[in-house]
Amino acid sequence: MAEYRLEDLARVSGVSVRNIRAYRERGLLDPPRRVGRTALYDDYHLSQLNTISKLLRKGYTSVHIAEFFTSMRQGTDLADILGLQRAVLGPRSEPAEPVESLHVDPDSEEGRKLVAYGLAELVGGRVVMADAGAADILSRSPDHLLYVRALLRFVEAADDSLDDLAQAFVTSLTELYRKRVGTNYLPRPEEMDELRRVVQDYRALGERVMSARFDQATRRFMVASATDYTAGILLSGEWGRHKPA
């Protein structure tokens, strides 16, 4: 999950620093995470700001919004209403500690991309993976660079498709919300459990479908690749040239 300093949050949200501070004081915005004297905000705060801005444009007053958020915090763990952020983004957790140093030159193209994509951090001049699962796989690999290139290829190939999938998911949630509670209606606390359950069902359905489709597509490409590989051997008659290292 991305984190933002106050000025960065103001830039990406379009809400001024002054208004963000005012929202915090009035109880509209959750407190930031403190690291020393630095206040760090995350995607939940960004979503809260987007929700507040939309409600204000629809004619709700800041007092009304603050009262509603307060009642939600007291009634359920969903302080972030309308966007249903916790149901969509999953449980809120502290940022993971970097877990594994890679044998990758931080000044190389691969090293720069890992950091730029948020997959790794630079710690003491070393490239350190931020995800424990990915770090475990890479640590077992005989050739870190080969695996890193595959990882980067996966990320770059998935970016556009994932944006389309995420947009379809959010559009479906928007339609669901409007059908269930209406466009300008703020749901009561007792209605939130059902809405959260439906959102989680939508997400589970999407994950299952995408996993199955990815598996099917992978099988098709593997069969095609094996066929091309075998055909190349038969046509050339040179096994050594095609034999994997």
Side-chain angles (χ1 to χ4, degrees):
M1 185 177 294
E3 288 195 308
Y4 313 90
R5 294 175 183 271
L6 179 58
E7 292 76 12
D8 296 328
L9 181 65
R11 176 177 52 79
V12 298
S13 68
V15 178
S16 68
V17 169
R18 178 179 179 181
N19 282 344
I20 292 175
R21 287 174 174 156
Y23 293 158
R24 280 172 44 193
E25 293 173 358
R26 297 173 189 171
L28 276 72
L29 193 65
D30 286 355
R33 186 173 73 92
R34 293 282 178 180
V35 179
R37 300 180 64 180
T38 302
L40 294 177
Y41 300 83
D42 58 28
D43 289 332
Y44 288 105
H45 296 100
L46 178 59
S47 189
Q48 283 182 315
L49 286 175
N50 291 337
T51 298
I52 291 167
S53 297
K54 289 178 182 178
L55 291 175
L56 289 173
R57 287 197 296 269
K58 290 179 180 179
Y60 293 101
T61 67
S62 60
V63 173
H64 182 191
I65 299 171
E67 290 176 350
F68 179 75
F69 281 175
T70 298
S71 68
M72 288 304 303
R73 292 186 182 105
Q74 294 172 348
T76 73
D77 64 348
L78 285 177
D80 34 29
I81 186 61
L82 279 186
L84 299 174
Q85 295 93 322
R86 286 192 173 93
V88 174
L89 298 175
R92 193 169 190 170
S93 59
E94 294 298 320
E97 292 293 327
V99 292
E100 184 69 23
S101 178
L102 296 180
H103 302 301
V104 176
D105 183 353
D107 293 324
S108 66
E109 180 181 3
E110 291 82 6
R112 290 195 299 270
K113 283 186 175 181
L114 284 172
V115 175
Y117 292 159
L119 300 173
E121 300 175 8
L122 286 180
V123 179
R126 297 175 300 139
V127 178
V128 179
M129 291 299 295
D131 180 83
D136 182 56
I137 294 172
L138 293 173
S139 68
R140 300 196 306 264
S141 66
D143 186 338
H144 280 186
L145 193 58
L146 186 65
Y147 274 50
V148 165
R149 287 171 178 166
L151 175 62
L152 293 172
R153 191 178 299 117
F154 298 155
V155 172
E156 291 167 350
D159 274 352
D160 291 340
S161 298
L162 288 178
D163 282 347
D164 292 339
L165 290 172
Q167 184 176 17
F169 179 70
V170 172
T171 298
S172 296
L173 287 184
T174 302
E175 293 175 354
L176 164 72
Y177 187 87
R178 288 174 177 169
K179 289 180 179 178
R180 285 298 183 97
V181 301
T183 302
N184 296 314
Y185 173 70
L186 294 177
R188 296 185 297 274
E190 61 269 22
E191 296 173 313
M192 284 308 304
D193 283 342
E194 180 186 2
L195 287 174
R196 178 172 53 183
R197 178 187 59 77
V198 174
V199 170
Q200 291 170 339
D201 285 347
Y202 267 47
R203 179 167 184 163
L205 284 173
E207 289 174 349
R208 291 182 67 87
V209 169
M210 289 305 105
S211 177
R213 298 288 287 179
F214 177 76
D215 183 63
Q216 293 169 2
T218 300
R219 290 174 183 272
R220 289 199 307 272
F221 279 102
M222 288 184 70
V223 170
S225 178
T227 300
D228 291 343
Y229 179 76
T230 305
I233 294 172
L234 294 175
L235 291 173
S236 67
E238 299 181 14
W239 167 256
R241 179 180 301 177
H242 297 274
K243 186 176 180 180

